């Protein structure tokens, strides 16, 4: 279980997170929604320790993440970055197998490659791309390679930053199913950022909406449509009129 | 302007510079501490060795060739003022080995390598690849900086030795074609007057310069600002810092090596 208590982060004069309280129960799929630039990506990076919060505490199973042993802590996580963040000096399969070939329990090369090919297949990529370099792939393909890399070592907790952005509807469906599968079958805990409301409905157990630096609304996905929060309703229906200004 | 305002105007850049020196020193300390702790990334090291060492040979060689040739012409015409044209071979050799080989080699490597390291690592930083490394339980300093710094520290002395030889050859070519030296006599004087320490001190300088170049490239790359502009600024800073520090370090090392 991951718990955030009044987490704050400011960049210069830009108060991005102003006191986030959020609980992510083990084995559940949480989807974070919210306007562009509200700090969703920063929130994930705070939990991973890539960005140091100015105030507040983040705990994983009751232990403060800032004090945790970094290697053991990070070994439990997988992360898909918004921009893919593939290593462009390495081939696609080497990207996917990156963690598998390193550390104490490093696998031999051909075994790691076999797993990488299997993960690529799960995100809808053929073995033909395995020996290409990331720069040779389309944006959506890179995104899927990033996804394959995030799930390659079968981590307990997986963060997906906009997994379906830039994908065609069919591929989005495949990825949504995959994320759902990972949570249900592997019992992983997932936190997904998305702007795609059909993804939200397909992936989420719980939804949290970030607005103005705080969690504006959070609850089970089944209550999302009937909730009375005007910010949430404006957001999920994509209305230009409402409490959320359209120029931000 | 008030006195305090004046002092503050002086103090701010001084403090900023000192803070910068502190951060670079901490970074260097961190690189050195990771150097001696496993894991060691052999593949990255091999790749860096090729990039920094092997592919720098043409540029360092050409620089040395022309410098050696020009040096021979200068010493000949300068020496002619007091009938000392015969010192050309020995002065070319000593000048190349002690000073010009390492300094020009170091500067060329700074231009070629500090820039490419800073641009590469800076781009990795702005495209979140460094963050991705961390989440994949890989220390970016160990994975990116250590192989490059080690490769540069080992490769640049060799480059310097290659540059010395080519520079001496440049002087010899000019000597025998333009200055009427006898080829065998030129080479004999070169060998007779050149001491091991002349060459060795230059190679030690080369190692120091290689370390500086890679360290600056990695430091400015890893602290790059956001976007293409950030990478551009990081690249520029890396080359400028590496070049200036090389020249300063060269003076200090020369003091240490050659004044007793
Ligand atoms: N390293 C940083 N330095 C300075 N400002 C930053 C940094 N990272 C993020 N920000 C700022 O924090 C704010 C939130 O950024 P973030 O990337 O979290 O938005 P987001 O909610 O993920 O948006 P999107 O949906 O468009 O991806 C932005 O205003 C951004 O400019
Ligand atoms: Mg984002």
């Amino acid at each position: 279980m991951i718990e955030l208590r009044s987490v704050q982060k400011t960049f210069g004069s830009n108060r991005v997170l102003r006191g986030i309280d959020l609980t992510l129960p083990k084995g559940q799929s949480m989807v974070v929604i919210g306007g562009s630039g509200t700090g969703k990506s920063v929130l994930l990076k705070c939990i991973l320790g890539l960005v140091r919060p100015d105030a507040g505490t983040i705990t994983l199973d009751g232990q403060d993440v800032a004090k945790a042993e970094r290697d053991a802590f990070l070994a439990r996580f997988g992360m898909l970055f918004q921009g893919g963040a593939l290593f462009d000096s390495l081939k696609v399969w080497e990207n996917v197998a990156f963690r598998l070939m390193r550390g104490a329990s490093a696998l031999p090369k051909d075994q790691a490659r076999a797993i990488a090919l299997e993960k690529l297949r799960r995100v809808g990529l053929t073995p033909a791309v395995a020996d290409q370099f990331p720069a040779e792939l389309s944006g959506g393909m890179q995104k899927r390679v990033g996804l394959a890399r995030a799930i390659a070592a079968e981590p307990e907790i997986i963060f997906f930053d906009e997994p379906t952005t830039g994908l065609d509807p069919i591929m989005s469906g495949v990825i949504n199913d995959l994320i759902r599968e990972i949570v249900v079958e592997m019992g992983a805990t997932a936190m997904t950022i998305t702007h795609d409301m059909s993804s939200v409905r397909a992936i989420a157990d719980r939804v949290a909406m970030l607005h103005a630096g705080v969690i504006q609304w959070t609850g089970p996905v089944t209550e999302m449509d009937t909730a009375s929060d005007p910010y949430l309703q404006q957001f999920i229906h994509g209305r230009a009129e409402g409490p959320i200004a359209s120029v931000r | 302007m008030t006195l305090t305002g004046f002092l503050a105007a002086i103090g701010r850049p001084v403090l900023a510079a000192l803070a910068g020196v502190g951060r670079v020193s901490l970074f260097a300390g961190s690189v050195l501490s990771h150097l001696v702790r496993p894991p060691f990334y052999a593949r990255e090291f091999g790749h860096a060795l090729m990039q920094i060492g092997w592919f720098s040979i043409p540029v360092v060689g050409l620089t040395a060739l022309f410098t050696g040739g020009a040096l021979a012409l200068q010493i000949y015409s300068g020496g002619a003022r007091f009938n000392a044209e015969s010192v050309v071979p020995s002065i070319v050799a000593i000048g190349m080995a002690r000073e010009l080989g390492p300094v020009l080699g170091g500067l060329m490597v700074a231009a070629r390598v500090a820039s490419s390291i800073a641009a590469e690592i800076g781009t990795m930083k702005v495209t979140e690849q460094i963050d991705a490394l961390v989440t994949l339980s890989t220390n970016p300093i160990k994975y990116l900086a250590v192989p490059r710094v080690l490769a540069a520290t080992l490769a640049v002395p060799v480059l310097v030795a290659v540059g010395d030889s080519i520079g001496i050859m440049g002087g010899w070519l000019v000597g025998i074609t333009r200055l009427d030296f006898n080829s065998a006599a030129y080479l004999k004087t070169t060998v007779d007057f050149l001491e091991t320490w002349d060459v060795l001190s230059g190679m030690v300088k080369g190692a120091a310069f290689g370390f500086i170049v890679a360290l600056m490239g990695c430091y400015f790359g890893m602290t790059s600002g956001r976007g293409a502009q950030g990478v551009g600024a990081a690249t520029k800073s890396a080359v400028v810092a590496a070049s200036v520090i090389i020249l300063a370090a060269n003076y200090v090392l020369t003091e240490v090596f050659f004044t007793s």
Side-chain angles (χ1 to χ4, degrees):
Chain A
M1 187 169 74
I2 300 173
E3 275 191 293
L4 291 90
R5 288 291 160 258
S6 38
V7 171
Q8 298 184 26
K9 181 68 198 177
T10 301
F11 291 107
S13 61
N14 182 5
R15 289 177 63 208
V16 179
L17 305 180
R18 305 181 186 181
I20 301 281
D21 290 295
L22 190 64
T23 303
L24 176 56
K26 193 175 167 62
Q28 290 222 352
S29 171
M30 164 84 78
V31 169
V32 179
I33 58 175
S36 183
T38 47
K40 303 182 296 298
S41 300
V42 170
L43 181 66
L44 290 194
K45 288 183 188 171
C46 282
I47 299 174
L48 286 169
L50 298 172
V51 169
R52 193 189 296 266
D54 301 328
T57 54
I58 302 172
T59 56
L60 170 62
D61 299 336
Q63 205 200 357
D64 192 335
V65 301
K67 300 191 185 88
E69 209 274 302
R70 284 296 278 167
D71 278 351
F73 171 77
L74 287 167
R76 302 175 66 180
F77 282 88
M79 163 94 184
L80 163 66
F81 285 84
Q82 188 167 355
L86 300 178
F87 306 127
D88 37 31
S89 60
L90 300 180
K91 287 179 184 160
V92 164
W93 80 267
E94 291 170 322
N95 265 281
V96 177
F98 193 87
R99 192 199 273 282
L100 302 175
M101 293 194 293
R102 282 171 180 78
S105 52
L107 296 177
K109 194 173 163 182
D110 38 344
Q111 218 170 322
R113 186 183 157 96
I115 295 176
L117 291 182
E118 161 61 15
K119 300 295 173 189
L120 286 170
R121 193 191 58 74
R122 292 194 74 180
V123 297
L125 291 169
T126 60
V129 301
D131 288 305
Q132 288 182 297
F133 284 93
E136 298 170 290
L137 306 183
S138 76
M141 290 164 90
Q142 292 181 13
K143 202 55 171 273
R144 287 185 281 151
V145 175
L147 192 70
R149 185 175 69 184
I151 63 173
E154 309 197 343
E156 291 168 56
I157 307 154
I158 317 184
F159 291 168
F160 302 103
D161 197 342
E162 307 199 2
T164 57
T165 305
L167 302 186
D168 64 66
I170 297 172
M171 220 16 104
S172 297
V174 169
I175 298 305
N176 289 339
D177 290 349
L178 174 67
I179 294 177
R180 198 61 229 171
E181 230 174 271
I182 289 170
V183 173
V184 174
E185 284 171 20
M186 289 161 47
T189 308
M191 189 147 154
T192 310
I193 296 173
T194 183
H195 291 298
D196 175 357
M197 293 316 296
S198 62
S199 284
V200 177
R201 291 173 211 283
I203 297 172
D205 292 317
R206 294 182 67 81
V207 177
M209 179 177 169
L210 189 60
H211 178 69
V214 297
I215 299 295
Q216 176 70 29
W217 184 84
T218 181
V221 66
T222 46
E223 291 172 15
M224 185 173 74
D225 291 303
T226 52
S228 60
D229 190 287
Y231 292 87
L232 178 71
Q233 290 309 323
Q234 183 193 352
F235 192 86
I236 63 178
H237 294 108
R239 297 191 197 105
E241 307 297 314
I244 305 175
S246 46
V247 179
R248 276 168 272 145
Chain B
M1 193 189 277
T2 63
L3 182 65
T4 47
F6 176 70
L7 289 177
I10 296 176
R12 257 190 302 273
V14 172
L15 280 181
L18 288 177
V21 170
R23 277 193 295 270
V24 172
S25 309
L26 284 177
F27 183 76
S30 165
V31 169
L32 292 176
S33 79
H34 280 290
L35 189 65
V36 292
R37 281 180 291 158
F40 179 73
Y41 296 105
R43 183 175 140 174
E44 276 62 38
F45 173 70
H47 185 74
L49 212 51
M50 287 299 282
Q51 287 298 325
I52 297 169
W54 183 250
F55 293 118
S56 292
I57 290 178
V59 61
V60 169
L62 280 174
T63 309
L65 184 71
F66 291 122
T67 308
L71 199 58
L73 290 178
Q74 287 283 14
I75 293 166
Y76 187 84
S77 74
R81 292 181 199 162
F82 30 91
N83 297 323
E85 295 91 335
S86 60
V87 297
V88 168
S90 47
I91 303 280
V92 166
I94 293 172
M96 280 311 297
R98 282 190 178 189
E99 218 29 62
L100 292 170
V103 171
L104 290 178
L107 291 177
M108 294 314 282
V109 172
R112 198 182 162 274
V113 173
S115 58
S116 81
I117 292 178
E120 185 180 357
I121 295 183
T123 306
M124 290 186 74
K125 160 106 188 202
V126 303
T127 56
E128 298 180 317
Q129 291 179 50
I130 306 257
D131 284 343
L133 271 180
V134 173
T135 63
L136 293 167
S137 308
T138 301
N139 186 309
I141 292 190
K142 212 186 252 318
Y143 183 76
L144 296 173
V146 167
R148 287 170 172 79
V149 170
L150 189 62
T153 310
L154 296 176
V156 176
V158 180
L159 280 174
V160 166
V162 171
D164 289 351
S165 322
I166 297 179
I168 290 171
M169 198 182 79
W172 166 80
L173 270 176
V174 170
I176 59 169
T177 54
R178 308 268 298 108
L179 307 174
D180 297 331
F181 275 91
N182 171 282
S183 171
Y186 189 106
L187 290 177
K188 184 170 181 336
T189 330
T190 301
V191 174
D192 285 350
F193 279 90
L194 199 59
E195 291 172 11
T196 315
W197 180 234
D198 294 329
V199 178
L200 221 52
S201 67
M203 290 175 70
V204 174
K205 284 181 175 179
F209 301 164
F211 178 81
I212 291 165
V213 163
L215 190 75
M216 290 300 121
C218 293
Y219 174 76
F220 284 101
M222 286 195 178
T223 54
S224 163
R226 305 174 85 196
Q229 216 168 14
V231 177
T235 309
K236 178 198 68 189
S237 304
V239 176
V240 171
S243 307
V244 172
I245 298 175
I246 282 177
L247 293 172
N250 178 57
Y251 177 77
V252 174
L253 289 175
T254 308
E255 276 279 359
V256 172
F257 291 159
F258 298 106
T259 56
S260 46

